[in-house]
Amino acid sequence: MPRDTIDGRQMLGARIILKALEEQGVEVVFGYPGGAVLPIYDEIFKQNRIRHILVRHEQGAVHAAEGYARSTGKVGVVLVTSGPGATNAVTGLTDALMDSIPVVCLTGQVPTHLIGNDAFQEADTIGITRPCTKHNYLVKDPNDLAKTIHEAFYVARSGRPGPVVVDLPKDVVMEKGAYATAPRGIKRQQHKTYRPAHTPDPASINAVVDLMVNAERPLFYTGGGVINAGPGASKTLTDLVKDTGFPITSTLMGLGAYPASGPKWLGMVGMHGTYESNMAMHGCDVMINIGARFDDRVTGNLKYFSPGSKKIHVDIDQSSINKNVIVDIPVVGDAGVALKAIFKAWKARTTRPKAKAMKAWWADIERWKAKDCLSYTQTGSVIKPQYAIQRLFELTKKRDTFITTEVGQHQMWAAQFCRFDKPNHWLTSGGLGTMGYGLPAAIGAQIGNPKGLVVDVAGEASILMNIQELSTAVQYRLPVKVFIINNQYMGMVRQWQELLHGGRYAESYTDSLPDFVKLAEAYGMTGLRVQDPAKVDDTIKEMMAIDGPVIVDVCVDQKENCYPMIPSGAAHNHMLLGPEDEGEQKITGAGMALV
């Protein structure tokens, strides 16, 4: 008799899977049933410890798991069937990989003896998902089920987080096998090759602080790695910024790691970041990158990226070091551990940056801030999208509010005007830029935070990508709010066509939109519409007062563009700040480096 059994018995593979999920602390699974995974669903039916959320599309299942994971700090779990169930999950898995989100996706598979025979609903899930997951497994022996699932959770959550697929042939989940108890603690986890480094080299930490104490124009550049390191990392970062007096900026994925209300905050950096953050990035002499990956939307044309700075890069993923930008001091390790080490070494130093140089640096920053790059004018009878989102933020900021987004202009305006003071409250698709992310992510965030106010800031085009998930929100009585910035265009596509393609709006205008109010009512939820700027506040308050899912259709200016903007191919210190700069971009054209 196998040693690791429960009650002296072997268990069906499907029961082993549920037991392993229970031992991993899983509370909810997002999924969609099908023939290959029916034995697992039968086991779900027999228990009440793990909740199952029935989505309407497998892509929605993964995005919901992402929203759950990002808002709670836990691993999101997905269960889908073989063939189209697994392939429908690929977009979500790629999204999670790009944004370093811990997800374990259990996929059904045809019986082992049919693999490779083009059986009904067979797909090469391992081959298909290898490029879009952190790791994947095909389990061929029921005795390996528990061990594989425990290992999958370890791989998903440790090091640089990411998605892991466990492919489960139907015969394996229907046979009996032994249950292996999960190792207790990270140090007891085993993997043949995966050994993430959590603790940075002390010599590297000392070199970092050497540069910091001698800096004249320092800048903290932070990313999603700080948030992935847990709330303690954000607390240490905030303390370090306060003690150093250094300015700080963040990527799209790192918003909330440092409070936006903090006195040293420069706003978001990058293509639609603030003027002062991008200028500070260009002009700094010491750049301290913690948990960001030098994404092209931040760096602009690499030839002109921050040419006079010494660059420090703290990242738990060694493969990210020197991948896009060659740095002076690499620090491989967990962002939270590294921040504590840097702060401790900083406090131990008796020297500090020269006060005169720091004063001059902040004077430069204040001049850049004076540009007021996010300013807009709300006049007349047409709602400006910036105004609608700014009022949404102002009226919801006293609540425990989680903002998800789809992808496009509305996403960038939300990043600019929603000022996050806490981590894990901003959920958006950064690396992949997935239209259709926001609604299912909001569902996952609401499941993980039942008392929170969850708002999906959407575009009328993006929301249609996974509109079917409204049915999920209604079925589970989730009070998710969908705040549609409706300009009847694929707004960001239209903006690029206007600036780079002579105003030829090829296929970016949506000619046949649904009536979103009637659509909401068809799903059994509340629909509201606002067209008058004077009624925006009242509509948002009404939305918040409704104890259930709501769609708000906000009819906004169709021609408004999102600024600031780094033009395509330009240096990161060349920014279009408003319509008055559009002519310059039209003259220079796409792909030209501007300095």
Side-chain angles (χ1 to χ4, degrees):
M1 181 182 296
R3 181 168 53 86
D4 293 321
T5 55
I6 300 295
D7 298 328
R9 298 180 289 109
Q10 289 187 291
M11 292 183 287
L12 288 177
R15 176 70 190 109
I16 290 175
I17 293 166
L18 265 292
K19 179 66 179 174
L21 295 180
E22 290 174 11
E23 195 172 0
Q24 288 294 334
V26 174
E27 298 171 340
V28 61
V29 172
F30 301 91
Y32 201 97
V37 289
L38 286 183
I40 303 173
Y41 273 89
D42 195 46
E43 290 297 328
I44 290 174
F45 185 82
K46 296 174 184 177
Q47 56 83 55
N48 57 13
R49 296 183 65 177
I50 296 176
R51 185 182 184 188
H52 182 275
I53 302 299
L54 176 65
V55 297
R56 271 41 178 184
H57 191 283
E58 291 88 353
Q59 179 184 344
V62 185
H63 292 328
E66 287 185 273
Y68 175 86
R70 293 175 68 173
S71 63
T72 64
K74 301 175 183 178
V75 177
V77 181
V78 177
L79 174 60
V80 298
T81 195
S82 64
T87 59
N88 280 346
V90 164
T91 297
L93 292 170
T94 309
D95 190 270
L97 182 70
M98 293 284 282
D99 287 346
S100 304
I101 311 302
V103 170
V104 170
C105 181
L106 308 177
T107 59
Q109 185 54 273
V110 299
T112 52
H113 68 278
L114 291 179
I115 292 176
N117 287 356
D118 293 331
F120 177 67
Q121 289 195 332
E122 180 190 359
D124 180 9
T125 300
I126 293 300
I128 291 168
T129 63
R130 185 171 288 118
C132 63
T133 56
K134 186 176 176 182
H135 196 53
N136 60 18
Y137 301 84
L138 172 62
V139 185
K140 294 184 177 181
D141 184 338
N143 293 299
D144 294 334
L145 280 168
K147 175 182 177 294
T148 302
I149 290 174
H150 295 320
E151 191 174 286
F153 274 82
Y154 170 64
V155 172
R157 67 162 67 98
S158 63
R160 178 180 177 180
V164 177
V165 161
V166 181
D167 203 26
L168 303 165
K170 189 170 184 178
D171 57 327
V172 173
V173 301
M174 295 184 70
E175 292 174 5
K176 287 187 176 182
Y179 184 82
T181 301
R184 301 299 179 186
I186 291 291
K187 292 182 180 179
R188 294 186 60 188
Q189 296 283 357
Q190 296 294 322
H191 190 280
K192 291 181 180 178
T193 58
Y194 181 57
R195 298 286 187 273
H198 289 84
T199 305
D201 177 21
S204 297
I205 297 298
N206 285 327
V208 167
V209 178
D210 284 342
L211 282 184
M212 289 172 61
V213 298
N214 289 294
E216 295 187 353
R217 301 185 308 280
L219 178 70
F220 283 113
Y221 156 41
T222 57
V226 178
I227 294 175
N228 284 340
S234 294
K235 173 65 167 59
T236 306
L237 174 65
T238 303
D239 292 342
L240 180 60
V241 170
K242 181 179 180 180
D243 206 74
T244 61
F246 293 180
I248 179 171
T249 185
S250 171
T251 66
L252 178 73
M253 298 304 296
L255 295 177
Y258 177 84
S261 61
K264 307 303 179 185
W265 175 243
L266 303 188
M268 183 176 69
V269 72
M271 179 170 280
H272 293 286
T274 64
Y275 181 72
E276 53 267 29
S277 65
N278 283 311
M279 292 302 290
M281 184 80 89
H282 185 79
C284 67
D285 68 343
V286 174
M287 180 190 299
I288 309 145
N289 175 344
I290 304 174
R293 56 187 178 89
F294 291 109
D295 179 73
D296 62 284
R297 291 293 166 117
V298 168
T299 64
N301 190 318
L302 282 171
K303 182 178 178 181
Y304 305 103
F305 178 64
S306 194
S309 67
K310 295 287 187 180
K311 298 174 182 68
I312 298 160
H313 190 183
V314 179
D315 204 299
I316 199 166
D317 181 5
Q318 187 160 359
S319 69
S320 290
I321 304 288
N322 294 326
K323 181 169 67 176
N324 298 326
V325 172
I326 303 300
V327 300
D328 298 278
I329 302 177
V331 180
V332 180
D334 177 83
V337 177
L339 278 165
K340 285 183 179 179
I342 291 170
F343 195 22
K344 182 179 179 180
W346 168 266
K347 296 286 282 185
R349 298 295 179 97
T350 56
T351 57
R352 290 289 184 269
K354 296 175 183 178
K356 184 177 180 179
M358 286 294 292
K359 184 177 180 180
W361 178 227
W362 273 105
D364 287 341
I365 291 171
E366 291 304 322
R367 283 195 293 272
W368 295 326
K369 282 185 176 182
K371 288 276 190 179
D372 195 14
C373 66
L374 297 181
S375 64
Y376 65 91
T377 303
Q378 175 59 68
T379 58
S381 60
V382 179
I383 300 170
K384 291 289 185 181
Q386 303 96 315
Y387 176 74
I389 292 173
Q390 189 168 36
R391 295 311 301 156
L392 174 71
F393 166 71
E394 293 293 341
L395 293 170
T396 61
K397 66 182 180 181
K398 292 184 179 179
R399 298 275 299 272
D400 186 26
T401 303
F402 297 80
I403 300 291
T404 73
T405 76
E406 309 294 337
V407 169
Q409 287 177 318
H410 62 275
Q411 175 191 30
M412 294 297 105
W413 282 317
Q416 292 172 342
F417 291 98
C418 295
R419 298 172 61 83
F420 298 95
D421 278 347
K422 295 186 290 186
N424 305 104
H425 285 64
W426 164 248
L427 317 176
T428 195
S429 175
L432 194 62
T434 308
M435 295 173 71
Y437 169 89
L439 175 56
I443 287 170
Q446 192 75 78
I447 291 290
N449 303 271
K451 295 182 180 180
L453 173 63
V454 182
V455 183
D456 172 28
V457 177
E460 83 292 332
S462 280
I463 193 65
L464 294 178
M465 288 282 190
N466 274 314
I467 194 72
Q468 73 285 340
E469 298 308 328
L470 291 175
S471 181
T472 306
V474 172
Q475 176 175 339
Y476 294 98
R477 299 178 177 85
L478 302 175
V480 168
K481 317 303 181 189
V482 182
F483 196 75
I484 300 176
I485 302 299
N486 187 348
N487 60 10
Q488 299 185 337
Y489 277 94
M490 299 176 200
M492 195 63 81
V493 174
R494 181 200 58 75
Q495 179 169 335
W496 280 59
Q497 288 173 332
E498 182 176 309
L499 297 178
L500 306 176
H501 299 282
R504 295 180 292 278
Y505 304 130
E507 304 301 326
S508 57
Y509 178 71
T510 309
D511 191 48
S512 183
L513 287 170
D515 181 324
F516 287 108
V517 173
K518 290 181 179 178
L519 182 66
E521 293 169 353
Y523 274 105
M525 55 192 289
T526 303
L528 306 172
R529 178 175 293 112
V530 58
Q531 296 171 296
D532 183 349
K535 296 181 180 179
V536 167
D537 280 22
D538 288 342
T539 304
I540 293 171
K541 291 175 183 177
E542 183 179 358
M543 173 196 81
M544 294 168 62
I546 295 171
D547 185 20
V550 181
I551 286 180
V552 181
D553 185 16
V554 187
C555 302
V556 301
D557 188 342
Q558 292 187 358
K559 296 182 179 180
E560 192 72 11
N561 284 340
C562 185
Y563 295 105
M565 177 183 178
I566 300 173
S568 175
H572 68 139
N573 65 323
H574 182 100
M575 304 186 71
L576 306 181
L577 299 185
E580 66 278 4
D581 293 335
E582 289 182 3
E584 181 181 0
Q585 170 63 10
K586 290 173 182 176
I587 292 170
T588 56
M592 182 175 292
L594 305 173
V595 293

